[in-house]
């Protein structure tokens, strides 16, 4: 789907606050990246809150460190542990509740799906690609997920082309970055003195018209072209090209699955931070009141025992089979299921793996192409 | 269990009494509970009928003396369903650390008249001596766990066994990983969920008070701790604390990856 594009305009840094004000005036809560507990995470901004500047992030396998520089920039970093996933596919939520009336009748009540509009500031192209994949999963086909749908419809997305990929990033090799092509309402390119800004939707265009914009200079446009080129060229990690489904399924008995299992903690951190992983489990939360119960769903992972527990049998008891399930689905059978790989190259599974397992290395060992 | 109220007893062995607070801390929910159960024995709360027959016994504490053995067998015989409550009853607790120390020295250093203490050779969890129908893990357990267990048992369904890794709960709560961002030796990747990821939520590392999760990889986590500048003794201490009598946390080089059955 080709997004409507506006001409590039320029928003001076000192006027960035007008963007936040215009969003608030438009009825949006603003969620923006701030540093909390040593990582960049989204937080709802209060009125008059400013975005932090000078954040610099070092990422490596199993390693994430935030430093502050005197740079005036707000987005000179790659990503934090969250993508857009927690905004649309909530980690834990009630689906329905049930009450037994005094006459013995069971009355079911669906959970409220209404959502207040929220503008998310600083979305990256990999996260937009992941959102499009989650859209396909939760909204595609005949069974639309009303909870996801309501949250998705409440979003206004202010994307930023990624100027500072981390060492763990490989979005170029998956075709999902570092620049965004569609799926946003507004798109920023950040320079020291401000932002080149364009709209990608009519809602974005309407908002753009309320900002004190200038025309970008030729130098500013050259600078962002150079910046985007550098962000692509600096990425050293890559996934093997093409559809890996045949190669992965031809290697189900590869000894390397067991080699990975000797390091893998089967802890599920990779799937939790993965912006496209969508597995959940459902369970009932009873209170001591025997006449009430609540049915909830929460993030699950193919690394749990319960994920493959079927009719008294845990099909994937060992870590080798659980890791194999993750990788063969994410990089393999997603192609049959959704028409592309489930990996957008954000590198979160590498950084947030406690023991630093790097899927680009592991898949290369299994399908060939390891350096 | 329909009709008459379910008869419940709460017993205690070697322990700090903290897990029993999971009942007392329920507050107003206790009123709802008492509409459905009759609490026939619970020394910490008042009722005393240790030898009575009940539907469900909750047992706190580990077994450390000869007298304990007699008592737990009687409790088992009197109970339709026996639930262990917390790390001591389920995995030995802190007092099981004496299994790997010189018992004589420890007793002499603690008691004025050590000769009056009839110690078992080893402190054991309840399941080492009698059949246990359900184990609730944690040091201490919390009211949410006890409530969920009671709700399930009163409804006649099998309580959910919460044995996933703590990391899953930690990430669901959107806590930031203290190991990846600060290099803390967090035990979350081998520890059972259930506490609500309390420690990482306040910026400290999990210390495994809920015991071993399913399918853990101690070797890999231990190797990683060594890269975080922990020495072998420090790494060992991370695993041997509240749940030292849990075989899953017993270092055996060739059996580090506990397979699910």
């Amino acid at each position: 789907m080709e997004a409507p594009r506006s001409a590039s305009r320029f928003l001076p840094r000192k006027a960035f606050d007008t963007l936040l004000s215009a969003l608030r005036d438009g009825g949006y809560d603003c969620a923006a990246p701030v540093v909390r507990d040593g990582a960049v995470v989204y937080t709802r901004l209060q009125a008059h809150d400013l975005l932090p500047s000078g954040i610099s992030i070092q990422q490596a396998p199993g390693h994430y460190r935030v430093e502050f520089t005197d740079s005036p920039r707000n987005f000179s970093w790659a990503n934090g542990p969250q993508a857009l996933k927690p905004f649309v596919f909530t980690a834990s939520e009630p689906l329905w509740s049930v009450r037994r009336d005094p006459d013995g009748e069971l009355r079911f009540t669906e959970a409220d799906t209404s959502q207040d509009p929220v503008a998310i500031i600083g979305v990256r192209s990999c996260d937009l690609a992941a959102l499009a994949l989650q859209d396909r999963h939760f909204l595609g086909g005949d069974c639309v997920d009303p909870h996801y749908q309501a949250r998705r419809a409440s979003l206004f997305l202010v994307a930023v082309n990624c100027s500072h990929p981390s060492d763990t990033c490989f979005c170029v090799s998956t075709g999902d970055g570092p620049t965004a092509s569609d799926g946003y309402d507004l798109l920023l390119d950040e320079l020291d003195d401000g932002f080149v800004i364009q709209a990608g939707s009519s809602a974005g265009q309407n908002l753009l018209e309320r900002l004190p914009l200038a025309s970008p200079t030729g130098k500013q446009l050259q600078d962002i072209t150079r910046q985007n080129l550098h962000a692509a060229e600096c990425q050293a990690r890559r996934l093997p090209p093409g559809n890996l489904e045949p190669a992965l399924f031809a290697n189900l008995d590869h000894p390397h699955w067991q080699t990975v299992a000797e390091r893998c903690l089967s802890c599920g951190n990779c799937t939790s931070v993965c912006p496209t992983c969508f597995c959940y489990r459902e369970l009932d939360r009873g209170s001591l009141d025997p006449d009430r119960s609540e049915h909830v769903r929460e993030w699950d992972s193919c690394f749990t025992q319960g994920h493959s527990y079927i009719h008294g049998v845990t099909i994937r008891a060992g870590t080798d089979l659980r890791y194999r399930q993750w990788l063969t689905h994410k990089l393999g059978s997603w192609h049959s299921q959704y028409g592309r790989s489930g990996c957008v190259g954000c590198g979160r599974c590498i950084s947030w793996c406690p023991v630093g397992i790097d899927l680009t290395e592991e898949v290369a060992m299994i399908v060939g192409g390891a350096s | 269990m329909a009709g008459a109220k379910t008869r419940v007893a709460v017993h205690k062995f070697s322990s700090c009494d903290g897990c029993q607070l999971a009942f007392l801390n329920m507050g107003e929910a206790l009123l709802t509970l008492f509409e459905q159960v009759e609490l026939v024995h619970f020394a910490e709360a008042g009722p005393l009928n240790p030898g009575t027959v009940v539907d469900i016994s909750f047992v706190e504490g580990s077994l450390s003396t000869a007298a304990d053995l007699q008592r737990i067998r009687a409790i088992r015989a009197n109970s339709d369903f026996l639930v262990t409550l917390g790390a001591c009853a389920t995995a030995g607790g802190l007092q099981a650390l004496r299994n790997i120390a010189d018992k004589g020295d420890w007793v002499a250093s603690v008691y004025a008249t050590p000769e009056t203490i009839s110690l078992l050779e080893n402190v054991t969890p309840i399941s080492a001596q009698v059949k246990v129908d359900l184990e609730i893990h944690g040091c201490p357990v919390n009211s949410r766990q006890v409530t969920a267990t009671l709700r399930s048992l009163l409804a006649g369904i099998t309580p959910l066994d919460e044995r996933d890794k703590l990391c899953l709960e930690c990430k669901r709560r959107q806590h930031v990983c203290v190991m990846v961002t600060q290099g803390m030796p967090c035990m979350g990747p081998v520890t059972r969920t259930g506490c609500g990821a309390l420690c990482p939520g306040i910026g400290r590392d999990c210390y495994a008070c809920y015991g071993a999760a399913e399918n853990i990889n101690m070797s890999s986590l231990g190797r990683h701790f060594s890269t975080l500048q922990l020495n072998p003794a420090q790494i060992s201490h991370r695993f041997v604390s509240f749940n030292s009598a849990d075989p899953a946390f017993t270092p055996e080089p060739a059996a580090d990856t506990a397979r699910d059955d």
Side-chain angles (χ1 to χ4, degrees):
Chain A
M1 130 184 105
E2 189 62 28
R5 296 278 181 80
S6 70
S8 292
R9 305 281 285 154
F10 185 75
L11 177 68
R13 180 168 298 283
K14 62 180 188 302
F16 185 72
D17 206 28
T18 60
L19 171 59
L20 300 179
S21 303
L23 286 165
R24 289 196 188 99
D25 292 346
Y28 291 101
D29 232 6
C30 290
V34 303
V35 173
R36 170 173 65 76
D37 300 334
V40 171
V41 295
Y42 285 110
T43 298
R44 305 278 175 136
L45 292 182
Q46 305 299 311
H48 310 301
D49 276 357
L50 297 176
L51 259 60
S53 61
I55 298 171
S56 169
I57 297 173
Q58 301 300 317
Q59 296 192 65
H63 181 92
Y64 186 102
R65 293 290 186 281
V66 174
E67 293 165 7
F68 286 92
T69 69
D70 55 7
S71 164
R73 295 191 178 210
N74 303 120
F75 303 104
S76 54
W77 43 272
N79 55 26
Q82 304 160 312
L84 295 170
K85 184 163 84 171
F87 287 100
V88 284
F89 170 35
T90 302
S92 180
E93 66 177 325
L95 296 180
W96 47 261
S97 59
V98 60
R99 179 169 57 92
R100 181 165 35 219
D101 282 350
D103 60 6
E105 190 79 14
L106 292 179
R107 302 209 181 277
F108 291 85
T109 308
E110 283 185 44
D112 181 16
T113 57
S114 62
Q115 293 292 321
D116 292 330
V118 58
I120 306 177
I121 318 291
V123 177
R124 303 310 158 106
S125 58
C126 55
D127 298 338
L128 291 171
L131 186 68
L133 281 168
Q134 292 229 313
D135 284 351
R136 210 169 298 176
H137 177 73
F138 286 106
L139 303 178
D142 295 334
C143 296
V144 169
D145 185 301
H147 300 262
Y148 182 96
Q149 185 179 39
R151 284 188 291 262
R152 180 70 177 89
S154 75
L155 297 186
F156 184 98
L157 299 173
V158 181
V160 180
N161 281 331
C162 196
S163 58
H164 290 69
S166 284
D167 289 349
T168 43
C169 293
F170 53 98
C171 63
V172 172
S173 71
T174 66
D176 297 307
T179 54
S181 54
D182 57 21
Y184 53 82
D185 294 294
L186 289 175
L187 176 63
L188 308 176
D189 277 284
E190 185 175 34
L191 295 168
D192 282 355
D193 55 350
F195 303 86
V196 174
I197 185 169
Q198 55 185 301
S201 69
S202 50
Q205 185 62 41
N206 289 341
L207 198 115
L208 207 61
E209 286 162 9
R210 300 163 60 187
L211 302 180
L213 301 173
S215 291
T217 65
K219 169 143 190 345
Q220 285 168 334
L221 293 175
Q222 273 178 10
D223 285 347
I224 62 170
T225 302
R226 195 176 305 126
Q227 178 166 283
N228 291 337
L229 197 62
H230 173 76
E233 288 174 350
C234 72
Q235 294 184 18
R237 281 189 164 74
R238 63 179 186 87
L239 271 187
N243 179 351
L244 301 178
E245 187 168 13
L248 282 166
F249 283 90
N251 282 289
L252 292 180
D253 297 320
H254 198 291
H256 195 69
W257 299 116
Q258 187 52 45
T259 308
V260 182
E262 286 164 15
R263 296 175 62 209
C264 176
L265 299 168
S266 189
C267 62
N269 274 300
C270 48
T271 60
S272 293
V273 295
C274 177
T276 70
C277 273
F278 49 66
C279 284
Y280 60 82
R281 62 175 187 170
E282 295 185 20
L283 61 157
D284 296 286
R285 265 186 210 145
S287 68
L288 282 174
D289 181 347
D291 297 322
R292 287 175 190 276
S293 184
E294 187 177 57
H295 191 75
V296 301
R297 75 167 164 195
E298 56 187 27
W299 290 355
D300 197 8
S301 167
C302 44
F303 286 92
T304 70
Q305 178 267 339
H307 191 272
S308 69
Y309 181 82
I310 299 172
H311 200 65
V313 179
T314 299
I315 294 168
R316 295 185 288 273
T319 304
D320 51 347
L321 296 182
R322 296 184 194 181
Y323 190 85
R324 191 183 80 176
Q325 167 66 26
W326 184 56
L327 212 68
T328 53
H329 188 213
K330 181 71 61 188
L331 302 179
S333 46
W334 270 67
H335 283 277
S336 294
Q337 204 174 357
Y338 301 105
R340 61 155 292 176
S341 145
C343 178
V344 295
C346 70
R348 288 186 177 89
C349 60
I350 303 173
S351 298
W352 298 98
C353 171
V355 294
I357 294 172
D358 179 345
L359 107 160
T360 64
E361 284 180 10
E362 307 308 336
V363 70
M365 291 295 292
I366 286 160
V367 304
S371 53
Chain B
M1 295 181 189
K5 285 184 181 178
T6 301
R7 289 163 59 83
V8 171
V10 180
H11 296 276
K12 166 194 155 55
F13 289 86
S14 295
S15 58
C16 75
D17 289 34
C19 288
Q20 296 172 65
L21 293 177
F23 282 92
L24 302 181
N25 288 344
M26 284 181 197
E28 283 183 27
L30 282 171
L31 300 176
T32 311
L33 179 64
F34 290 150
E35 289 170 6
Q36 301 160 76
V37 310
E38 183 187 355
L39 206 50
V40 295
H41 173 76
F42 189 177
E44 192 164 314
L48 285 176
N49 285 294
T52 194
V53 173
V54 295
D55 298 305
I56 307 170
S57 278
F58 287 88
V59 178
E60 181 197 84
S62 56
L63 306 173
S64 62
T65 68
D68 287 348
L69 289 188
Q70 302 307 313
R71 195 152 63 87
I72 190 62
R73 285 170 189 151
I75 291 168
R76 175 69 268 190
N78 286 334
S79 309
D80 234 22
F81 199 88
L82 192 153
V83 183
T84 60
L85 196 63
C88 298
T90 303
L94 281 177
Q95 52 275 17
L97 287 171
R98 81 156 160 83
N99 298 352
I100 52 175
D102 185 319
K103 290 172 264 301
D105 280 357
W106 277 33
V107 173
S109 68
V110 173
Y111 295 100
T113 55
E115 65 278 7
T116 63
I117 310 289
S118 168
L119 286 185
L120 294 173
E121 178 62 21
N122 281 318
V123 170
T124 66
I126 304 298
S127 63
Q129 300 297 339
V130 298
K131 175 174 174 282
V132 170
D133 299 301
L134 181 74
E135 294 179 325
I136 310 182
H137 296 255
C139 181
V141 301
N142 56 50
S143 298
R144 184 198 58 77
Q145 292 171 287
V146 171
T147 299
T149 301
L150 279 165
R151 176 72 264 135
S152 296
L153 293 177
L154 290 171
I157 57 177
T158 307
L160 188 69
D161 186 11
E162 299 179 288
R163 53 194 202 148
D164 289 344
K165 277 86 174 183
L166 183 69
C167 297
L168 288 154
E169 183 62 22
C170 196
K171 281 286 187 289
R172 279 185 208 117
R173 289 172 184 257
Q174 303 289 299
H175 296 329
V176 172
C177 180
V178 296
M179 190 143 63
V180 167
T181 59
Q182 300 180 60
M184 290 185 181
C186 186
M187 292 289 281
V190 295
T191 300
R192 186 181 278 262
T193 188
C195 66
L198 290 175
C199 290
I202 56 164
R204 60 158 295 168
D205 44 328
C206 165
Y207 54 86
C209 69
Y210 267 58
E214 61 89 32
N215 187 38
I216 62 171
N217 191 340
M218 284 174 62
S219 294
S220 178
L221 190 63
R223 283 195 301 272
H224 185 65
F225 284 173
S226 70
T227 71
L228 301 177
Q229 311 304 316
L230 268 67
N231 65 38
Q234 290 170 319
I235 294 171
S236 169
H237 289 166
R238 299 297 288 162
F239 289 91
V240 181
S241 56
F242 305 88
N243 295 279
S244 61
D246 183 346
F249 272 172
T250 306
E252 285 175 30
D256 51 15
T257 307
R259 289 274 174 128
D260 178 55
D261 44 15

